[in-house]
Amino acid sequence: MERITMSSDYKRVERVEWGRLDETEFNRLVDLLITTHYQRLGFDARAVDGRGGDGGIDIDVREKETGKLVHIFQVKYFPEGFPTAHKSRRTQIKRSFKAAEQHEPPEWSLVMPSKGTIPERKFVTGLQSKKIPRTHMVGTVELDQMMAHNPDINEWAVRSERDRALALVGRPDVLPKTDEQFGDALGDLLNRANKFSPYWGRRIGVFDGHPVAELVAKRDDAAEKEPLGLTINTAFGPTTKDVERQWRDVVGYGRNRRVTLPASVVKSIVKHGPEEWFAGELGPSEVVVVPEAREHESVPVHVVLHDADGNEIARLDGDTVSQGAGVMGGVVELDLGGGLHQAWFVDKAGETGKTEQTFSVAGVPAREVARALRFTEAIKDAADMTLVIAGHEIPAAITDPSVPELPVNVTEYVDDLAVIERLADVKIPVPKHLPTTTGRIWARVIRMLLEGKRPAAPTRRMEVNWRSVDGVPLGDPFGTGAALYVPADPAQTVGLEVEGRSVPVPSFSMAHPNVVVDSVRQEGDLEKLTMRINDGTPFRLFCSDELPEDDLSMYEPPDPWGITGIPEAIDVYADQKKS
């Protein structure tokens, strides 16, 4: 006869003995289990106050968006069930069901700390009515099924039972709860775990949320007396070129950054060292290399670009932030102005190096970013690039002029912010995210105003303050349309906001050849007029406190915004006028 052997990876899970719980414990655990279970399914579920008052609800479940009641649970502590001999219990159940009918839930369930016999289950399903069409019994089997879907609640529930059992045998420290117990248990573990070698020890830590054991040297000569090593056999393919490059940078050049090799790339890991506690071989496994804490003293540097004739065409200053060495050569990493980061790789002393460049501009002042963008643009026309560090020059031939390019909408916005910084003498860090279209336009408008241009306002309405000298209300002199000119107050500088910073705009004036009054709001002796364009052309803005008599700019089209991907106001409002 052939013997068939079956194996399983399932572990025995401690479960709640529902019949051993007293009523308070049972009610508390059922409330937690059922409400959590249904909340994780996307419902609103709550235990209702007033248990035992026969309001008909112990736990209700509702749709989260509409609040519609979908299920009522009635909890009865009947460990022995409710056989026909316990008529009073059946009477209680019927009374609770009748009370629940007032709420007309589509489903009603009776919860008990027993399995429920066939007659008992038939009794519950027989309670169905027009107001409650579906009824169920939730016994210990159904409660166990919910526990299987919510193992964290099961663990919490059985913990006290384990604690009592461990206390009986004098080992409450096996599952430490207090800081003192935890410290004693961890100290005992480390004491026993560090006796495997006189040269090496283990240090317990956490990595990516998982506990790990780190090997640390007990003595300065540990690596000499008891050397340890790893051979990681890899096989990269067309789909893992980027991982292969990162791995080469870390292992070959000593670049100090995190890199993860997936198990599909790692064919084996061979551990070299003492056979009794370290040596061995592992199959395909994920390998994660994490940056080490290196001490680095920053050194000022500058990077210079030259044309084919050796003339300097651009330079950018910065500082070193890291350096390393590997089996292929070394690497020096720089933070240059404007959020530009460079890594210089050198294979051997005196040889031409290669570079890698990345941008991280969020939070960097716009003028610095604009300067870095001009530098990267100049790389395209340069013949070589030289790193000057502590008087030592490292040249890099530019065989591939590709540089990290930011999208045009980003570079245009950075340029606007940089001009505003310079003309208004303010500092505006580049934001992490681009503003809305309206915010983007206002930044260009503010720049144009500071440059002396006359841009269009990105709005069809403007609020104008009117204060009558003689106290007589303005009324509506605009009728079906009239020209409007609102001159600036020479003594006042208007503050317009860009990225949360107030930008001073002196002599801020507004004009339009044809507007009407949309609404009037009185505030004391001040009338606030909401003006609306009436001819399909936008409001004209400019920085001047008066219009010369021969100035016809009020009637001429405003200067265009010129923002890539955003239509001009004159086109937008003209289309709206037609429609």
Side-chain angles (χ1 to χ4, degrees):
M1 179 183 292
E2 183 181 5
R3 176 176 295 177
I4 300 176
T5 303
M6 299 181 67
S7 62
S8 173
D9 291 331
Y10 288 108
K11 297 180 180 179
R12 179 184 179 276
V13 178
E14 294 175 277
R15 62 185 180 85
V16 174
E17 297 293 340
W18 299 100
R20 296 176 57 184
L21 301 177
D22 62 30
E23 184 173 3
T24 300
E25 290 174 327
F26 177 74
N27 290 339
R28 182 185 179 197
L29 182 53
V30 165
D31 286 351
L32 176 64
L33 175 61
I34 293 179
T35 55
T36 302
H37 181 75
Y38 279 90
Q39 286 168 5
R40 288 172 175 171
L41 291 176
F43 295 93
D44 274 336
R46 61 192 179 96
V48 180
D49 288 337
R51 174 173 279 128
D54 256 333
I57 302 177
D58 284 337
I59 299 170
D60 68 11
V61 180
R62 298 176 181 271
E63 291 181 352
K64 183 167 288 187
E65 292 185 359
T66 64
K68 178 183 177 182
L69 182 64
V70 296
H71 204 143
I72 284 178
F73 289 88
Q74 183 69 42
V75 184
K76 296 294 185 184
Y77 185 70
F78 297 157
E80 306 85 9
F82 50 94
T84 53
H86 289 280
K87 291 184 179 180
S88 62
R89 293 186 176 180
R90 295 196 174 203
T91 301
Q92 289 182 45
I93 295 171
K94 288 181 179 179
R95 187 165 56 243
S96 296
F97 182 79
K98 288 296 182 182
E101 281 186 314
Q102 303 173 39
H103 308 285
E104 299 187 12
E107 297 191 62
W108 180 90
S109 293
L110 176 69
V111 185
M112 299 192 315
S114 62
K115 286 185 178 180
T117 64
I118 293 177
E120 289 170 345
R121 288 181 177 270
K122 284 184 177 180
F123 173 82
V124 172
T125 56
L127 293 173
Q128 296 172 357
S129 67
K130 290 183 179 180
K131 293 184 177 180
I132 305 180
R134 293 185 296 278
T135 56
H136 317 274
M137 172 175 278
V138 177
T140 56
V141 174
E142 290 80 9
L143 292 172
D144 284 342
Q145 289 174 339
M146 284 192 194
M147 279 295 196
H149 289 287
N150 299 276
D152 54 334
I153 296 179
N154 187 79
E155 173 67 20
W156 173 83
V158 302
R159 183 181 57 197
S160 58
E161 286 293 320
R162 284 203 306 263
D163 290 347
R164 283 194 287 268
L166 291 169
L168 288 174
V169 296
R171 288 303 308 276
D173 60 310
V174 172
L175 293 174
K177 295 187 294 296
T178 67
D179 290 342
E180 183 179 2
Q181 289 176 341
F182 184 80
D184 291 343
L186 184 60
D188 179 61
L189 174 64
L190 290 174
N191 183 53
R192 288 183 280 117
N194 280 323
K195 292 181 178 179
F196 63 91
S197 167
Y199 301 101
W200 299 95
R202 291 188 178 95
R203 184 165 57 198
I204 306 299
V206 176
F207 176 72
D208 281 357
H210 302 288
V212 294
E214 178 185 3
L215 286 174
V216 293
K218 292 180 179 179
R219 297 168 38 163
D220 293 339
D221 59 352
E224 176 186 349
K225 298 294 185 180
E226 198 170 51
L228 308 176
L230 292 175
T231 299
I232 302 176
N233 298 306
T234 59
F236 297 98
T239 61
T240 55
K241 290 294 184 184
D242 189 54
V243 176
E244 182 180 13
R245 178 188 57 78
Q246 296 177 42
W247 181 246
R248 182 199 63 229
D249 290 351
V250 170
V251 176
Y253 294 93
R255 196 171 194 182
N256 195 29
R257 62 169 43 185
R258 176 170 175 155
V259 59
T260 300
L261 299 182
S264 59
V265 163
V266 179
K267 298 307 176 185
S268 66
I269 302 172
V270 181
K271 301 191 295 181
H272 310 285
E275 293 185 3
E276 59 273 18
W277 67 270
F278 189 76
E281 183 171 344
L282 303 174
S285 308
E286 180 182 87
V287 173
V288 181
V289 179
V290 296
E292 62 178 337
R294 297 178 182 174
E295 290 187 6
H296 177 79
E297 186 174 347
S298 181
V299 178
V301 298
H302 57 269
V303 179
V304 184
L305 300 178
H306 300 94
D307 61 18
D309 297 325
N311 300 312
E312 180 178 320
I313 58 175
R315 73 165 53 205
L316 204 59
D317 298 327
D319 299 280
T320 63
V321 293
S322 177
Q323 65 184 57
V327 296
M328 298 170 60
V331 62
V332 178
E333 301 203 49
L334 321 172
D335 270 344
L336 301 174
L340 181 62
H341 183 92
Q342 283 190 340
W344 286 69
F345 300 91
V346 180
D347 292 336
K348 295 179 182 179
E351 287 193 2
T352 298
K354 57 183 178 179
T355 63
E356 176 187 291
Q357 304 178 93
T358 55
F359 256 126
S360 179
V361 300
V364 181
R367 291 177 71 182
E368 296 181 17
V369 177
R371 187 183 304 114
L373 287 171
R374 291 193 295 271
F375 179 84
T376 57
E377 190 66 23
I379 292 177
K380 300 176 182 179
D381 300 321
D384 69 73
M385 181 162 53
T386 301
L387 168 63
V388 182
I389 174 171
H392 180 66
E393 295 186 356
I394 302 175
I398 301 178
T399 55
D400 179 9
S402 61
V403 294
E405 293 201 23
L406 300 178
V408 64
N409 57 340
V410 174
T411 57
E412 285 186 358
Y413 188 51
V414 167
D415 190 52
D416 284 346
L417 297 182
V419 172
I420 294 172
E421 278 193 335
R422 176 173 57 83
L423 296 178
D425 193 22
V426 294
K427 179 181 287 188
I428 307 176
V430 174
K432 190 174 183 179
H433 303 290
L434 284 175
T436 62
T437 299
T438 301
R440 175 70 193 87
I441 294 172
W442 270 112
R444 176 61 60 89
V445 167
I446 294 172
R447 168 186 177 166
M448 295 174 70
L449 287 170
L450 295 173
E451 289 176 326
K453 298 177 181 178
R454 298 191 172 183
T459 178
R460 300 182 75 246
R461 290 174 174 81
M462 284 277 195
E463 187 173 81
V464 177
N465 294 332
W466 172 270
R467 179 178 284 107
S468 173
V469 177
D470 54 8
V472 179
L474 176 65
D476 188 5
F478 293 88
T480 58
L484 171 71
Y485 168 51
V486 182
D489 181 351
Q492 183 180 15
T493 296
V494 176
L496 299 180
E497 189 171 291
V498 178
E499 294 299 336
R501 267 73 172 176
S502 181
V503 177
V505 179
S507 302
F508 178 64
S509 301
M510 176 183 68
H512 195 281
N514 189 349
V515 297
V516 294
V517 176
D518 248 7
S519 64
V520 179
R521 183 161 49 91
Q522 192 76 35
E523 288 189 6
D525 63 345
L526 193 67
E527 288 184 85
K528 290 184 173 290
L529 311 178
T530 299
M531 315 299 298
R532 173 172 52 84
I533 60 177
N534 194 40
D535 63 353
T537 66
F539 287 101
R540 284 75 158 165
L541 306 178
F542 50 94
C543 284
S544 175
D545 58 0
E546 63 178 10
L547 280 174
E549 292 183 2
D550 59 348
D551 193 335
L552 301 178
S553 61
M554 179 189 296
Y555 303 96
E556 294 175 352
D559 295 328
W561 296 325
I563 306 174
T564 302
I566 296 179
E568 295 295 336
I570 192 105
D571 299 324
V572 173
Y573 298 143
D575 290 341
Q576 292 178 351
K577 179 68 175 177
K578 293 176 185 177
S579 60

